[in-house]
Amino acid sequence: MNSPVLPRYQQIAAALAAQLDNGDYPPGSRLPAVRQLASAHGVNNLTALAAYRLLEQQQRVEARPRAGFFAATPAGTLPPRGSDPALPLPSTAALVDLNSRMSTLLLLADDRIPLQLHMAEAAPVLYPSTELARRLQQTLARQPELIGAHLPGNTQRRLTAALQQLAQQRGMALHADDILPCHGITEAISLALRHLTRPGDTVAVETPVYFGLLQTLQGLGLQALEIPCTAEAGLSLEALEFALRHDPSVKCLVCVPNFQNPTGGLMPDDSKRALLQLARRHGITIVEDDVFGDLYYGSERPTPIKAWDRAGDVIYCSSFTKSYAPSFRLGWFSGGRHHAALARLQASSTLTVSPLLQAVLAEVLESGDYQRTSQRIRQQLAAQMHATADAVLRHFPKGTRVRKPQGGMLLWVECPDGSDTTQLLQQALPAGISFAPGLVFAAGPRFGHCLRLSCGQPFTPALEAALATLGRLLAQQLAHHKDVPSASFPPR
């Protein structure tokens, strides 16, 4: 039976611990310098330092300022009770390769699977399809030239003014020249990464992380440095500071502070301000993905990091695909001190965004339809989220952990230890149920015991029965195959 492969820094820590146990380094003796350790194991300094920090957490070594690391305890001493072996440290930067996993996930959008819970989309009935179709028809009848012409200047100014007002409602004072429409969040982030990085560079991302971002990084030949993220507090500032302090090669950070995908985590305002200060100290740009920000369940919309940005260090990216209509592939971005370069890059690639859709968007924002529609959608999503989370806790095995998010449409489920959600997906597909297994939310083989559910579907008896089926299959798996390691994606 194969055992799961430990992260590299844990392997190095285990080798050092064995040397301590064997007496190779007596108590109080100096240990190899970080660079020496890195060279000996063929890794970078950050990975070697992570190994030392893990041993320090276990009280096997001690760090002395400006002196290095020293053996701290006699051989054979055990870690303290309650210590966490899964210390929230950044993983080693690695080139992203998701082909084997993503190809199968994309195949799940199959009409033969009646309960598709794997994508971050709401049911079509939640979106204003009829109203949007009417607006498109009226606009085209009134301005047929929009099919073959650029957006008229007056319409462009109206849209920019409407986006400025939207930004102001989110706490951002943006000049008209600081706003550009784009083809959704993906284009905005891709433009930012193309401007800020070159192939082989390192980008800090949250982990677990949205698999679409990993695909973008893979396409650009970039390395992902994964920073722990929790549903309770969002991105770990401590882990990010650790990474930036010891790996100056990080070019930028891409994060989703408001209802992160997949955890649903909401970063507190104090943490957002601290993150901005941290990024400024280390000279890195923050690429802020605020695609779920308008789907808040409470009385106030969460504030973007960009609202506190006075030096242009944040590239802010927003979209209407989740909060208005998925097929309405429009978003916008504000690039701070990078904005002019991003505008030139967009002009040389996509050239222009659909004039017809921009004209319709201007009307939707000016009329207040967007605000009314997004409010209705988020209210429905909140009810569906609570019902889905409660059903998971009812039907999944004891030890399953769920934290209800305060917005968005995604539920992150941590199944009991020993769960294999890739195997669970293989068992669920014949029953007509799909979901996103945890393995797709990391560059490496992590989160195999987790899964992400979309809460965009109305909660019906059929959905409750599907969740009960997943819970039953998982219970059977834990009973009979508890120690089976995660496999690759199931064949279709």
Side-chain angles (χ1 to χ4, degrees):
M1 183 182 302
N2 296 325
S3 300
V5 178
L6 292 175
R8 194 73 178 96
Y9 77 92
Q10 291 186 17
Q11 296 178 26
I12 297 171
L16 273 173
Q19 290 180 293
L20 290 168
D21 291 341
N22 292 333
D24 295 345
Y25 296 102
S29 63
R30 186 191 298 271
L31 297 171
V34 170
R35 288 184 179 180
Q36 291 176 316
L37 186 66
S39 176
H41 290 273
V43 298
N44 59 30
N45 291 345
L46 178 62
T47 302
L49 187 58
Y52 271 138
R53 293 304 185 196
L54 178 57
L55 289 173
E56 187 180 21
Q57 175 78 3
Q58 297 172 351
Q59 300 182 9
R60 303 301 309 275
V61 307
E62 62 179 27
R64 299 179 187 175
R66 295 182 295 278
F69 289 91
F70 293 77
T73 60
T77 299
L78 295 175
R81 290 179 61 86
S83 66
D84 184 3
L87 188 66
L89 292 170
S91 64
T92 305
L95 286 171
V96 180
D97 183 2
L98 293 178
N99 289 333
S100 61
R101 287 177 273 160
M102 286 308 306
S103 60
T104 301
L105 185 62
L106 295 175
L107 292 175
L108 298 182
D110 189 318
D111 291 340
R112 292 169 294 179
I113 304 174
L115 281 165
Q116 298 184 19
L117 307 176
H118 64 285
M119 295 300 289
E121 294 179 355
V125 295
L126 264 66
Y127 296 114
S129 304
T130 302
E131 174 63 19
L132 181 56
R134 182 184 63 80
R135 282 193 180 277
L136 283 165
Q137 292 169 352
Q138 290 178 345
T139 301
L140 193 55
R142 200 167 52 243
Q143 296 176 277
E145 67 274 10
L146 290 175
I147 288 293
H150 290 289
L151 189 68
N154 64 326
T155 305
Q156 186 176 39
R157 288 187 290 272
R158 285 172 48 213
L159 176 57
T160 300
L163 291 174
Q164 280 183 284
Q165 184 175 3
L166 195 65
Q168 186 174 15
Q169 294 168 359
R170 300 175 185 180
M172 298 178 290
L174 300 178
H175 191 271
D177 293 337
D178 296 331
I179 294 175
L180 269 180
C182 60
H183 293 102
I185 286 283
T186 300
E187 184 192 19
I189 293 176
S190 180
L191 288 171
L193 291 173
R194 287 170 58 194
H195 168 62
L196 296 170
T197 67
R198 295 295 179 269
D201 283 347
T202 298
V203 176
V205 301
E206 300 155 319
T207 189
V209 60
Y210 169 50
F211 51 76
L213 175 57
L214 293 177
Q215 284 183 293
T216 299
L217 295 177
Q218 178 178 343
L220 296 175
L222 299 173
Q223 297 191 97
L225 180 63
E226 300 183 78
I227 308 298
C229 176
T230 67
E232 291 74 23
L235 182 76
S236 168
L237 297 183
E238 295 80 5
L240 178 62
E241 184 170 20
F242 175 89
L244 296 179
R245 189 168 65 243
H246 300 290
D247 188 355
S249 67
V250 176
K251 297 297 183 181
C252 62
L253 164 71
V254 182
C255 66
V256 187
N258 298 328
F259 317 126
Q260 193 261 353
N261 182 358
T263 67
L266 174 61
M267 182 179 286
D269 285 353
D270 288 346
S271 296
K272 292 175 182 175
R273 289 191 287 264
L275 173 58
L276 183 59
Q277 294 171 0
L278 176 62
R280 188 167 299 157
R281 284 200 305 272
H282 290 274
I284 69 167
T285 299
I286 297 174
V287 182
E288 181 177 15
D289 178 346
D290 197 25
V291 68
F292 294 107
D294 280 347
L295 298 179
Y296 57 97
Y297 300 161
S299 58
E300 294 184 4
R301 189 197 192 280
T303 305
I305 299 173
K306 184 69 175 176
W308 292 285
D309 180 26
R310 299 293 179 267
D313 294 324
V314 178
I315 299 176
Y316 178 78
C317 309
S318 185
S319 173
F320 301 95
T321 57
K322 307 298 182 184
S323 52
Y324 187 68
S327 61
F328 204 63
R329 305 303 299 179
L330 279 186
W332 61 280
F333 65 88
S334 182
R337 56 190 171 89
H338 304 283
H339 193 78
L342 292 173
R344 291 192 296 270
L345 190 58
Q346 184 190 39
S348 68
S349 54
T350 56
L351 187 61
T352 185
V353 179
S354 167
L356 175 60
L357 292 184
Q358 289 188 76
V360 172
L361 179 60
E363 293 184 7
V364 168
L365 293 174
E366 289 173 339
S367 67
D369 279 0
Y370 173 69
Q371 289 80 357
R372 288 187 291 270
T373 299
S374 60
Q375 180 182 20
R376 176 178 55 78
I377 291 174
R378 65 175 176 261
Q379 288 174 344
Q380 183 63 34
L381 287 174
Q384 293 172 187
M385 174 68 70
H386 286 286
T388 303
D390 290 343
V392 167
L393 293 175
R394 278 196 304 272
H395 297 297
F396 277 47
K398 184 179 180 181
T400 298
R401 294 192 296 173
V402 170
R403 185 181 184 275
K404 295 180 181 178
Q406 301 175 53
M409 61 177 68
L410 302 171
L411 187 66
W412 184 243
V413 181
E414 296 183 35
C415 302
D417 291 342
S419 301
D420 183 342
T421 58
T422 299
Q423 182 185 13
L424 180 64
L425 176 61
Q426 184 177 13
Q427 297 170 319
L429 289 175
I433 308 166
S434 68
F435 59 84
L439 280 179
V440 301
F441 297 102
R446 306 176 65 190
F447 308 111
H449 67 296
C450 300
L451 60 90
R452 190 196 73 180
L453 295 172
S454 169
C455 296
Q457 304 297 322
F459 193 81
T460 61
L463 179 53
E464 169 118 28
L467 295 174
T469 298
L470 290 179
R472 175 177 53 80
L473 292 172
L474 183 58
Q476 292 174 353
Q477 179 194 116
L478 289 171
H480 298 99
H481 304 287
K482 184 175 182 180
D483 295 326
V484 175
S486 296
S488 59
F489 254 77
R492 286 292 310 279

